[in-house]
Every structure is written in C-alpha cells, then in structure tokens.
Amino acid sequence: MPRSKSNSVSFHEDVTNDTSHLSEMKISDVKRSVEKRTMTLIGKNGCHDSVYINAAKIFQGIRNKKPKDKMLVRYGDDSVSPVLTFKDEYSQRMSYELAFNALKYQELLEEILLDSCVYPCQSIPDELTSLLVVMLYDLQDRKFEAREIFDEEEPVAEVRKIEHFLYSFRIKLAAALARCRIKRDALSIEYILPETIRKHEQRASALPLCVWINTFKTSLQDVIKDLKNKGFTKVESVSDFNRYTYCMDQHCHDVLFFPSSLKEELLSSDLFADCKLLLQDRSRSLAVHSVQALLNTDSDVIVAHVGSHLTVAHMSALRNHSMSRVFVCGVKSSARADELRNLFNHMGCENIQLLYEDFTEIRPTDPRLQNAKVILLIPQCSGLGFSNPIDFILSEHGDAGLLRDLLQGSVSKDKLRSLAERQLTELMHAMKFKVQAIVYCTSSVYPEENELVVKKALESGVEGHKLKRFRLIPPVFSTCSNPESCTDFFFRTELSEISSGCFLAVIAREKDSSENVSVQDILARAAAKGLLGSIAEKTKDDENKQWKTTQHGSGVTGSGTEPKRAEFPHLISPYVRPQPGMPTSSSYFDRTGAKCLSDRALPPPLPRSGHTNRAKESTVAVRVLKLSSRFTEKHQPT
C-alpha cells in the first residue's frame, strides 16, 4: 500500500536526539496504521526507504560494540544521536522491529558479510555500515528476493545504493548464510539465538491480548452484547481459550482478555476503530484501578508522567461519573499538548488537564492541585518485566537501549543506579504534596527500582513535621485468603506466558483514630468492603437523576480553571458499585499470574479494621446514606 511522502533525513546529518513526539500519533495516522497492519500478513515485500533509514539509526545506537583489536566490521561515529522522523505508527513500529532483528543477528550478519567477501568494500563508507547490516537482514528475510518498490515512495539515495550493492551479490550472500547455518547445525536462523531469547519471544507472541473498555464510548453490557453478536463466547480463563473466546479480569472490572491469535482481526474491528476497546498491557490497568480504589467522589488525580496516553485515558474513564479532574504532568510543548488533546477528544475524555511542567518542577503548594488526593507515579524504569520490549518503547517512551539490555539479560549497574536515583527523587517529591496516597508502579524486575525505592522514600522523612507521615498499606488487589490479617506489602505479577511483569506499591498517610472522617470517606470505605450491598444500587437512580440536573466539567484543557461543580456531589464512588458481568469465580490471574511480596524490614502497614469496626462503619454508613438521600430529595434544585 503506498504511503504519503515525507522529507527524508540524510543519514550523515549530525543532529540531536529528540524522540518525545514519536509515540503519540495523529488520529488519521492511527486509522491508516490499522489498515496497514494487515499488510504484514500478506507477504514480505520489503520496507519503505524511510523505514530502513530510521532502523539503521536505531541500530547504530544500540549495536554491540567490540574492542578495536577484535572489530572486523567497522561502523561510523555514533557519538551524536540522530533525530528519528516517522510518517505514522506503522512505520515507527517497523523501524524498531527491523533494528531489533538486526541487533539479535548482528554477529551472524557480520559473519555473512565477511564470509562472502562482500565486505569490506571501498564504495561503502563506515557511516553506511549500519544501513548495510539492517538491509542485509531484510534481504535474507525475503529469501533474497527483490524488494517491491512503490511508485509514490520518495527514494533515498543511500538506501538505493546499498540495495543495489547487496542484490548484486545475493548469490554469494545466500551461500554464506547456508554455510553459517551448517556450521551451527541450525534449521533456521532463529535457532542461532540463545534459548532464553527464543523463550522470551515465544512468551511475548502467546501473551493474551489485554483490552480495557472505554466507558466514554460504550459500556460493559454493550461490549458483551456486541461480542456475542460477533460470535464470541465468554469463558472463565485463558486456559479455556478456543479461537473466538474471551474472559474477564478478576481485579479490573473493565478489562477483557482475548487469544493472541486474534490480534490483527480485533484491531481492524469497529470496536477498536471507534475507540470502544483499547489495547494496553494489564499492568497499567492495575495501576489506575489502584488509584480509583483510593479516591472519593470528587477528588482530583495527579499523573506524574505522560507516559502512555492510554493510561491517562483509562484513568479519565474511571473518573467519568464524578467531578474529578486528571492532571497530567510533563507535557512540555504546545505541539505535544495539541496532539494529546486530539487523542483524548477522539476517545471522548472530558476531565483531563495538561500541565507543561515536569512533575518535579511543580511546587507541592501549587493551587491548581489542592484538591488532588492521589498521585499516580509510573516512572521511567528498566522495563525488563515487559513482555514485548518494542511495545514498551513505543507506548511508554522507553529507551531503545532496552533492546540491548534484553539480549544481554541485564541492565548495567550505572544505568540501574541512575534510574533508581531518579525514581527515588520523584517519589520523595510526591510525598511533599498534601495528598492522601501515592500509587507507585514499575515494569522492572529489580528490587533497586521497586521495594528498595519505596523503603528509602519512607525512611527519608521528607514529609516534614507539618504533614502526617506515609506508611505502606496492603495492596488493593490482595491474593491473601484472609485479607483482614494479610501482612503482604506489595503486589507483583511475574513475567510469564499470561502476564507481563509488574510491581505495584501503595503508600498512604497515617490517620489519628480520633480524626474526623467525612461522610464521603465513610461511604467509600463501606462500599469498598461490600457493606452497603443493595443500598448503593437503590440510590443509583437518584444519583443519575441528580447528575442530569448538573453540567459536567469541560473537556481536555491546559489550564487550572475550576470546572463547574454539581451542587450535590455523588455519594458513592463508581468504582465500588457492583458491575454487571463481573466474574464471581477465581480467574487465571488469581491462580498463577500474581503474588504478593513481604519485606519485614519496611515500616509496618496501616492496621485494618476489625469486625467490630466494620459493623459500626456499616451502621454509620447506612444511616448517613439514608439521611443524605433525604436531604438530596428535599433540596433538589428546580
């Protein structure tokens, strides 16, 4: 399929690295990319010139470097990182995949060049060696067949030169590849890879598709009905998957799972085209649901990093039926802000406010954030817990160096120390805000980025004397058989065939036993513990009537203007209402995908309420709910 023209970037240009704009694409590009995804299944016809150029630039920055005395294939200077310019999401993904494949087989590709006597060549300067290796991988992947050239494609001179050079020696190159395979006794080049890498890729390809329901566009009931009409059958867990089936997540009521084999078909369906279903790793859904469980009806949320726009949108959707605002930090530029507004408006989000400053640049006393009660902190991390590294890079603005780290099986000590220091700085800054809780989430497998960061932050005493101290509290998604006596502090999912790796910690401020508790706090706690039962459902109609009499807050903005608030706030958080279609039995993640982690060296968690307190809380909640309902009816605005 032809693609639009774009100005090519010279491979020799010395430019600075700026990839902050790459992961958020225009809606028109997203729609085109959906159409293009199906092309990858038709045949391997090669890539566009711009994809080769970008892939070569990425590979140049992440390639394995050898000592000079052992370097037989020489590359150009990589001291200056180049700018990467992508036409759309599809070409961006193709560029990273091609660069990653060249990295995985770098040693083999260099051996083919040397064994065939094609390299060295005086007509190919060292600055083009990365392009030579990248295009050699693509040529052998096409079984040394010619590339399909698109008439509307803008040619890049360097690409055409390398292409002509390689194709003229295709017979020698194919023979060299055959000799390398015989020497390694490999049926295909995939068998040359280390077993750990092959297993990782197998897990990633088989990972169930995780999607969340965009309640701005549809509802759980409508999605289930639509899936039934499309021939899908609901099953209990991924172990029951059989082609057109799906199951629900135990912890997140708006999250569904599908077989990985249906990815292309689902992404081209109307449910995805209309943004009713959105594909995202489960770890981010766990993070936003952890925040939701801690919020009262009209409390605001601070998202410390833009990260993936899908995480922000999911948080926005969970706060759909409240007057809450979701503040997003680190937007940085007006161009990025316009891009994000376009994406959020397309998804129907109406309660997001964009802040240009980085999170650590915002004062804890900033008047815009005085109603914020919870901070969601998903810092930049090593990302080795993520199943698909390219997905992580594209969706989370991850470092391309993750591809090299994955192949090496570890992160360098210097890089890990730098990441942990930055994470600690951000968590300690979050603790200075007058919020009630902080949700900290990473995709790291290292304690240095996970529990050790939380421990150091809690021990720092950064809150000062004027604010209550933070303490670790048990996870929202506990897997303990008796939650009342659970002493596990962290929630963690291990990297496996059914889940990416995820670390999640929640810290909350201490409260005095004599401290006055608001009506909304009592109701939210009681409802979260299931003490309100049918009473919460009974008031739902009254709430809906009340909602219709008020005006919802404005859409996605970039200022701190206070939206118009309802005269009578909602009494029950939408998170704790029973959701039709929610699973009642244990799902696969409860059995195999998640486990908690204890660390006795950490400060003790906040105590849980006993049976007596639960009974009192239930009684108070019911009384307050009845009185509030009567008050609402009596003072209903006309």
Side-chain angles (χ1 to χ4, degrees):
M1 182 180 295
R3 298 180 193 155
S4 59
K5 296 182 179 181
S6 65
N7 295 328
S8 60
V9 180
S10 173
F11 189 73
H12 302 288
E13 285 183 318
D14 292 332
V15 287
T16 57
N17 185 31
D18 179 15
T19 60
S20 61
H21 64 290
L22 301 181
S23 68
E24 311 295 352
M25 298 298 173
K26 295 180 180 179
I27 299 301
S28 58
D29 292 337
V30 174
K31 290 181 177 179
R32 287 200 302 270
S33 68
V34 171
E35 298 173 356
K36 293 171 183 175
R37 283 189 183 103
T38 57
M39 292 179 57
T40 61
L41 302 179
I42 297 174
K44 298 175 181 179
N45 300 319
C47 305
H48 285 245
D49 288 13
S50 60
V51 171
Y52 291 120
I53 288 291
N54 285 321
K57 291 177 180 180
I58 297 169
F59 174 72
Q60 176 75 9
I62 63 176
R63 63 182 174 84
N64 293 318
K65 300 177 182 179
K66 300 178 181 179
K68 289 186 177 181
D69 59 333
K70 297 182 179 180
M71 186 184 301
L72 300 178
V73 177
R74 301 188 178 276
Y75 297 83
D77 179 30
D78 56 0
S79 59
V80 179
S81 300
V83 164
L84 303 174
T85 304
F86 301 109
K87 298 176 183 178
D88 48 47
E89 181 185 4
Y90 176 82
S91 62
Q92 181 187 13
R93 179 174 292 275
M94 289 293 295
S95 299
Y96 274 95
E97 288 180 350
L98 185 55
F100 189 33
N101 284 325
L103 177 64
K104 288 187 293 186
Y105 299 102
Q106 178 181 342
E107 184 177 348
L108 172 66
L109 296 170
E110 291 178 353
E111 185 177 345
I112 291 173
L113 289 172
L114 295 170
D115 184 70
S116 63
C117 299
V118 170
Y119 183 92
C121 177
Q122 293 183 350
S123 63
I124 306 297
D126 292 347
E127 289 75 14
L128 292 182
T129 302
S130 290
L131 183 60
L132 180 70
V133 172
V134 163
M135 295 192 70
L136 174 58
Y137 171 82
D138 187 63
L139 179 62
Q140 68 81 30
D141 195 43
R142 300 196 314 267
K143 309 301 181 185
F144 296 94
E145 296 291 334
R147 175 173 67 122
E148 180 180 348
I149 303 296
F150 299 97
D151 294 336
E152 298 181 11
E153 180 183 358
E154 184 175 349
V156 178
E158 294 92 339
V159 172
R160 300 300 169 94
K161 175 182 179 180
I162 296 296
E163 180 178 32
H164 177 75
F165 174 78
L166 289 173
Y167 194 71
S168 64
F169 291 103
R170 64 187 182 279
I171 297 177
K172 288 186 176 182
L173 292 169
L177 173 59
R179 288 191 292 271
C180 291
R181 285 174 51 190
I182 293 172
K183 182 170 65 175
R184 291 174 172 82
D185 194 23
L187 295 176
S188 65
I189 64 170
E190 287 79 12
Y191 288 91
I192 297 176
L193 292 176
E195 186 178 358
T196 54
I197 300 301
R198 283 188 280 128
K199 286 185 177 180
H200 185 94
E201 293 189 340
Q202 289 171 0
R203 283 199 304 264
S205 63
L207 191 72
L209 303 177
C210 178
V211 305
W212 56 271
I213 299 170
N214 182 6
T215 53
F216 284 114
K217 297 282 189 177
T218 185
S219 65
L220 173 62
Q221 295 86 347
D222 289 342
V223 168
I224 291 176
K225 182 179 179 181
D226 198 340
L227 290 173
K228 184 177 181 180
N229 292 337
K230 294 179 185 298
F232 282 85
T233 302
K234 179 182 173 183
V235 295
E236 288 297 318
S237 71
V238 294
S239 61
D240 301 318
F241 277 170
N242 183 18
R243 189 56 178 164
Y244 290 101
T245 52
Y246 71 95
C247 68
M248 299 185 64
D249 183 70
Q250 177 199 11
H251 297 124
C252 307
H253 62 77
D254 59 349
V255 172
L256 306 177
F257 296 94
F258 295 88
S260 58
S261 59
L262 298 179
K263 183 175 183 178
E264 299 295 336
E265 190 171 344
L266 284 172
L267 290 175
S268 60
S269 69
D270 57 337
L271 287 172
F272 280 86
D274 298 335
C275 292
K276 294 178 179 179
L277 293 182
L278 295 161
L279 180 67
Q280 190 177 23
D281 189 79
R282 179 178 184 255
S283 61
R284 300 306 180 248
S285 294
L286 291 170
V288 296
H289 274 275
S290 295
V291 172
Q292 174 72 348
L294 297 164
L295 288 169
N296 293 329
T297 303
D298 293 330
S299 301
D300 293 340
V301 183
I302 301 174
V303 179
H305 292 277
V306 175
S308 170
H309 67 278
L310 293 174
T311 302
V312 178
H314 197 177
M315 188 75 260
S316 172
L318 290 178
R319 305 304 294 162
N320 185 12
H321 297 293
S322 72
M323 295 304 296
S324 298
R325 294 167 297 178
V326 179
F327 289 93
V328 184
C329 307
V331 176
K332 295 184 178 180
S333 69
S334 57
R336 182 73 184 282
D338 291 341
E339 198 169 33
L340 288 173
R341 288 192 191 98
N342 186 30
L343 287 163
F344 292 142
N345 288 334
H346 185 67
M347 289 185 282
C349 303
E350 298 178 343
N351 50 2
I352 299 173
Q353 292 204 359
L354 306 177
L355 306 181
Y356 288 81
E357 308 99 307
D358 283 332
F359 175 62
T360 53
E361 297 173 351
I362 299 177
R363 293 179 294 108
T365 57
D366 193 308
R368 296 171 295 181
L369 307 176
Q370 293 311 297
N371 193 45
K373 301 302 180 185
V374 180
I375 295 176
L376 174 58
L377 177 56
I378 306 179
Q380 183 180 359
C381 69
S382 57
L384 287 184
F386 220 82
S387 294
N388 190 318
I390 294 178
D391 282 347
F392 181 80
I393 292 171
L394 300 187
S395 64
E396 304 288 336
H397 304 275
D399 179 14
L402 169 63
L403 302 176
R404 182 178 57 245
D405 296 338
L406 178 63
L407 289 180
Q408 294 175 349
S410 64
V411 176
S412 69
K413 292 183 178 179
D414 289 341
K415 181 176 180 179
L416 189 60
R417 181 171 57 253
S418 176
L419 288 170
E421 289 175 355
R422 187 187 312 171
Q423 292 154 359
L424 179 60
T425 298
E426 293 177 358
L427 182 54
M428 290 173 61
H429 184 67
M431 294 169 67
K432 297 177 183 178
F433 286 74
K434 293 182 179 179
V435 295
Q436 296 174 352
I438 301 169
V439 174
Y440 179 81
C441 179
T442 78
S443 296
S444 172
V445 298
Y446 293 103
E448 291 88 341
E449 297 183 90
N450 297 337
E451 52 264 35
L452 293 184
V453 168
V454 177
K455 177 183 178 181
K456 291 177 181 178
L458 291 174
E459 292 176 345
S460 68
V462 72
E463 308 97 324
H465 299 292
K466 295 183 179 180
L467 297 174
K468 298 286 186 182
R469 290 183 63 84
F470 277 100
R471 283 291 182 266
L472 197 64
I473 64 174
V476 175
F477 311 114
S478 177
T479 55
C480 298
S481 57
N482 184 9
E484 292 297 326
S485 61
C486 182
T487 58
D488 292 318
F489 297 149
F490 301 119
F491 181 89
R492 181 193 297 274
T493 58
E494 302 294 346
L495 182 61
S496 68
E497 291 80 1
I498 59 175
S499 174
S500 290
C502 167
F503 172 85
L504 206 157
V506 181
I507 61 174
R509 291 198 187 277
E510 294 177 338
K511 282 191 175 183
D512 295 332
S513 58
S514 59
E515 188 176 344
N516 291 330
V517 182
S518 67
V519 171
Q520 291 177 340
D521 280 337
I522 294 174
L523 293 173
R525 291 178 188 173
K529 295 176 181 178
L531 301 178
L532 295 184
S534 60
I535 299 176
E537 287 299 308
K538 187 176 181 180
T539 61
K540 184 175 180 180
D541 293 336
D542 292 335
E543 286 188 33
N544 292 334
K545 293 177 182 178
Q546 173 63 34
W547 179 254
K548 292 178 181 179
T549 64
T550 61
Q551 295 293 326
H552 199 280
S554 58
V556 181
T557 65
S559 66
T561 306
E562 180 79 13
K564 186 175 181 180
R565 292 187 175 275
E567 185 176 351
F568 300 99
H570 300 311
L571 298 176
I572 307 297
S573 170
Y575 176 81
V576 297
R577 295 191 186 114
Q579 299 291 327
M582 286 183 65
T584 57
S585 60
S586 175
S587 69
Y588 68 92
F589 277 109
D590 187 39
R591 294 196 297 268
T592 60
K595 70 176 184 179
C596 294
L597 177 70
S598 292
D599 189 341
R600 301 295 181 180
L602 294 176
L606 292 179
R608 291 182 177 267
S609 301
H611 176 74
T612 303
N613 290 337
R614 285 170 56 88
K616 289 181 179 179
E617 196 171 72
S618 176
T619 303
V620 173
V622 172
R623 290 178 179 175
V624 171
L625 183 59
K626 290 181 178 179
L627 290 174
S628 299
S629 298
R630 293 173 185 172
F631 181 83
T632 302
E633 294 174 359
K634 183 177 180 181
H635 297 273
Q636 182 76 20
T638 58

